[in-house]
């Protein structure tokens, strides 16, 4: 147990107990013991989110550098994460445990100078020939590796998991005693994902912490005892328990939140969504109202293509008001469009209510809907749009002389998209959104569907993904998601002065 004893002399790098001596809890002691045991080459660990898996992985990686019990000359540790940004977080933890100043000088004299590179291009901690290197999960980044330890961080989130796994597995035999540690939340049971196979006996040692179907049948999902099954660090992380209690309260109100709770907090290997709807109809109906348009607002923009609809949504964080407006070309007419899309006279009714405007020709002109939003709602504190179409939006804004406003681009995949869908729902459950009685918006949300990846992340579906109708017009839902999510996260955005049309970060 050299590794556990050494760990207890290190400070906690961040979060609960930051700066205090590391308290090795039983599940961590089991894992640290397995790292030292030569009988275990492949180790798989799964538990609920935010139990300190990444920090513990960083501690294990640090043990292979000078001053750690696993150190030897030319030690190589490779950390593989879903994204480079995630990889950098682990490198930050490793670098936090740097040697004391006197030891740094000794290492330098002995040929082990301590260097840290943690940028958008490189994530590495090096001491002479010993190195911890973190990379994103891309097969081309693994050529020529000969690691002593591989840490596969949140394996279920990797986009190219089979190819990555094949490359990593074949590299293990290049050095005697090399190991692979896979950590993360469970993928959906029976998904055939690499991590699912490891947890079902493919690894030499499996540490699985999860609630069970029996807990659900017996009505025990809200019991603290059940939470501890999936969250082995619950007793030493007060913030974790506080977060779980809050999310449990939300889960009891909403079917979608319950699906997320079971997947991510109870680690049950279920889909993060019980159905593929964006928002439960009951939740939407409970929050309908006519909140005033007071304070600054965030404008979400969804740009249409060819004959598609373009939509904008306004969200006022101060009062929770959510409103929307959309645009079609006037050819063909709205009744013909409605019949083709299978919604009858819906578009005609929305036009009469002032929720839908028309551009001349066959395509929607985003300039028309932006001018209408500006006229109705005034200058927004920020505009949120699709990352890949921000150039088109900037051109349109400039052509109509739109007032100076911060521009926040968001990607629509399982990264930004999952975060935005999650925060959109959370804002509703916390009572921070009051949608107006807008027929266009209600229809868009009812038609919107989400898809889920094996890691339980979800994003808005396109085309016929997730059971979505191919001709569904959910553009107003798309613009509402990004407006509410950013407005909910950045409640101080209204206080920020506009300094020209610029790109801002949503995080």
């Amino acid at each position: 147990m050299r590794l556990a004893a050494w760990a207890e002399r290190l400070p906690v790098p961040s979060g609960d107990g930051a700066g205090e001596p590391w308290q090795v809890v039983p599940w961590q002691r089991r894992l640290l013991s397995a790292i030292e045991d030569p009988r275990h080459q492949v180790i798989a660990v799964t538990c609920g989110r935010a139990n300190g898996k990444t920090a513990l992985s960083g501690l294990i990686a640090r043990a292979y550098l000078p001053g750690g019990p696993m150190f030897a000359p030319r030690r190589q540790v490779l950390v593989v994460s879903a994204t480079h940004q995630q990889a950098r977080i682990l490198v930050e933890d490793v670098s936090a445990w740097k040697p004391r100043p006197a030891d740094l000088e000794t290492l330098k004299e002995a040929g082990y100078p301590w260097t840290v590179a943690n940028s958008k291009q490189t994530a590495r901690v090096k001491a002479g020939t010993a190195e911890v290197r973190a990379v994103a999960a891309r097969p081309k980044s693994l050529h020529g590796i000969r690691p002593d330890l591989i840490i596969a961080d949140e394996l279920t989130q990797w986009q190219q998991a089979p190819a990555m796994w094949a490359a990593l597995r074949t590299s293990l035999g290049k050095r005697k005693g090399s190991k692979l540690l896979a950590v993360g939340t469970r993928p959906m049971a029976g998904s055939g994902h690499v991590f699912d196979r490891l947890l079902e006996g493919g690894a030499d040692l499996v540490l699985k912490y999860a609630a069970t179907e029996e807990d659900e049948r017996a009505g025990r999902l809200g019991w603290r005892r059940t939470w501890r099954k999936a969250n082995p660090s619950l007793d030493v992380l007060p913030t974790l328990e506080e977060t779980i209690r809050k999310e449990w309260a939300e889960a009891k109100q909403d079917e979608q939140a319950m699906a997320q709770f079971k997947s991510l907090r109870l680690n049950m290997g279920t889909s993060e969504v019980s159905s593929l709807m964006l928002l439960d109809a009951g939740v939407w109906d409970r929050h309908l109202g006519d909140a005033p348009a007071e304070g600054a607002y965030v404008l979400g923009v969804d740009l249409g293509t060819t004959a598609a609809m373009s939509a904008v949504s306004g969200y006022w964080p101060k009062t929770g008001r959510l409103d929307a407006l959309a645009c079609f070309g006037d050819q063909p007419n709205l009744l013909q469009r409605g019949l083709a899309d299978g919604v009858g006279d819906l578009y005609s009714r929305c036009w009469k209510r002032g929720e839908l405007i028309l551009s001349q020709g066959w395509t929607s002109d985003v300039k028309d809907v932006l001018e209408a939003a500006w006229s109705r709602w005034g200058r927004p504190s920020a505009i949120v749009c699709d990352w890949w179409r921000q150039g088109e939006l900037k051109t349109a804004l400039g052509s109509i002389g739109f007032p100076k406003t911060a521009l926040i681009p968001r990607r629509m995949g399982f990264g930004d998209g999952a975060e935005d869908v999650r925060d959109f729902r959370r804002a509703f459950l916390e009572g921070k959104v009051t949608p107006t009685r807008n027929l266009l918006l209600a229809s868009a949300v009812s038609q919107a569907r989400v898809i889920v990846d094996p890691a339980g992340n979800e994003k808005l579906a396109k085309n016929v993904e997730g059971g979505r109708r191919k001709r569904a017009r959910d553009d107003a839902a798309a613009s509402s998601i990004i407006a509410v999510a950013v407005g909910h996260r950045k409640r101080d955005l209204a206080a920020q002065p506009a300094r020209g049309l610029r790109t801002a970060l949503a995080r």
Side-chain angles (χ1 to χ4, degrees), residues 367-383:
K367 292 182 291 185
D368 290 339
V369 75
L370 289 171
E371 286 183 318
W374 180 11
S375 174
R376 295 184 186 191
W377 304 331
R379 182 185 71 85
S381 60
I383 299 175

Side-chain angles (χ1 to χ4, degrees), residues 113-441:
W114 181 276
T115 60
V116 178
N118 197 6
S119 66
K120 292 182 179 180
Q121 290 75 38
T122 305
R124 180 180 66 229
V125 177
K126 194 169 184 179
T129 57
E131 179 184 46
V132 174
R133 180 164 64 101
V135 299
R138 295 189 295 268
K140 66 180 182 180
S141 65
L142 302 181
H143 294 306
I145 62 169
R146 299 178 60 192
D148 295 280
L149 172 67
I150 299 169
I151 299 176
D153 183 39
E154 290 296 350
L155 186 61
T156 50
Q157 296 184 14
W158 294 3
Q159 296 298 312
Q160 302 180 59
M164 284 294 301
W165 179 253
L168 293 174
R169 192 68 179 85
T170 55
S171 71
L172 280 180
K174 295 181 180 180
R175 290 198 176 186
K176 183 178 180 181
S178 58
K179 292 179 176 288
L180 188 149
L181 170 62
V183 297
T185 49
R186 292 173 66 188
M188 287 186 289
S191 64
H193 193 278
V194 168
F195 196 31
D196 188 38
R197 296 200 298 269
L198 288 177
L199 294 172
E200 295 306 316
D204 300 314
L205 176 68
V206 175
L207 301 181
K208 184 188 296 185
Y209 301 94
T212 65
E213 292 181 0
E214 177 58 31
D215 292 320
E216 183 174 12
R217 286 194 294 268
R220 297 193 294 260
L221 297 188
W223 292 16
R224 190 178 188 277
R225 186 172 66 189
T226 303
W227 299 350
R228 290 183 76 249
K229 287 183 178 181
N231 299 275
S233 296
L234 189 69
D235 293 338
V236 296
L237 296 177
T239 302
L240 174 61
E241 181 166 355
E242 179 182 337
T243 301
I244 291 176
R245 288 192 181 280
K246 179 180 178 181
E247 292 184 3
W248 171 245
E250 295 173 356
K252 290 187 293 183
Q253 300 179 53
D254 178 54
E255 183 181 356
Q256 303 289 353
M258 179 62 77
Q260 291 181 338
F261 187 81
K262 291 193 295 184
S263 174
L264 305 179
R265 293 301 180 188
L266 299 185
N267 203 30
M268 294 178 66
T270 58
S271 170
E272 188 182 348
V273 286
S274 58
S275 67
L276 295 174
M277 293 184 66
L278 170 64
L279 196 69
D280 183 77
V283 174
W284 179 265
D285 291 341
R286 285 198 301 271
H287 291 85
L288 282 172
D290 189 25
E294 293 180 357
Y297 78 98
V298 178
L299 182 68
V301 180
D302 183 77
L303 299 180
T305 57
T306 59
M309 175 187 288
S310 290
V312 294
S313 296
Y315 174 61
W316 286 258
K318 181 179 178 180
T319 64
R321 181 183 180 89
L322 175 64
D323 205 354
L325 176 67
C327 178
F328 268 135
D330 62 5
Q331 298 294 326
N333 65 45
L334 293 180
L335 184 56
Q336 290 173 320
R337 283 185 182 273
L339 292 174
D341 291 348
V343 294
D345 66 349
L346 173 68
Y347 301 145
S348 298
R349 292 159 59 201
C350 291
W351 176 75
K352 291 177 181 178
R353 293 163 59 98
E355 300 161 356
L356 182 63
I357 64 174
L358 298 176
S359 296
Q360 290 186 347
W362 292 88
T363 61
S364 60
D365 190 335
V366 69
K367 292 182 291 185
D368 290 339
V369 75
L370 289 171
E371 286 183 318
W374 180 11
S375 174
R376 295 184 186 191
W377 304 331
R379 182 185 71 85
S381 60
I383 299 175
V384 194
C385 68
D386 185 337
W387 178 281
W388 300 109
R389 304 193 67 186
Q390 57 182 303
E392 296 174 52
L393 181 58
K394 288 179 181 179
T395 299
L397 290 169
S399 68
I400 62 174
F402 201 89
K404 297 178 179 179
T405 307
L407 184 64
I408 301 176
R410 300 292 287 167
R411 291 181 170 88
M412 300 293 112
F414 282 115
D416 289 355
E419 181 183 33
D420 290 342
V421 167
R422 183 168 58 249
D423 288 344
F424 174 79
R425 287 176 175 157
R426 179 163 294 169
F428 266 91
L429 295 177
E430 292 178 355
K432 305 298 184 183
V433 185
T434 303
T436 60
R437 299 184 184 280
N438 184 311
L439 180 60
L440 174 87
L441 181 55

Side-chain angles (χ1 to χ4, degrees), residues 276 449-451 459-469:
L276 295 174
R449 297 293 183 269
V450 295
I451 55 172
K459 67 173 184 176
L460 195 64
K462 298 179 179 180
N463 296 319
V464 294
E465 295 174 329
R468 178 185 182 272
R469 285 197 313 115

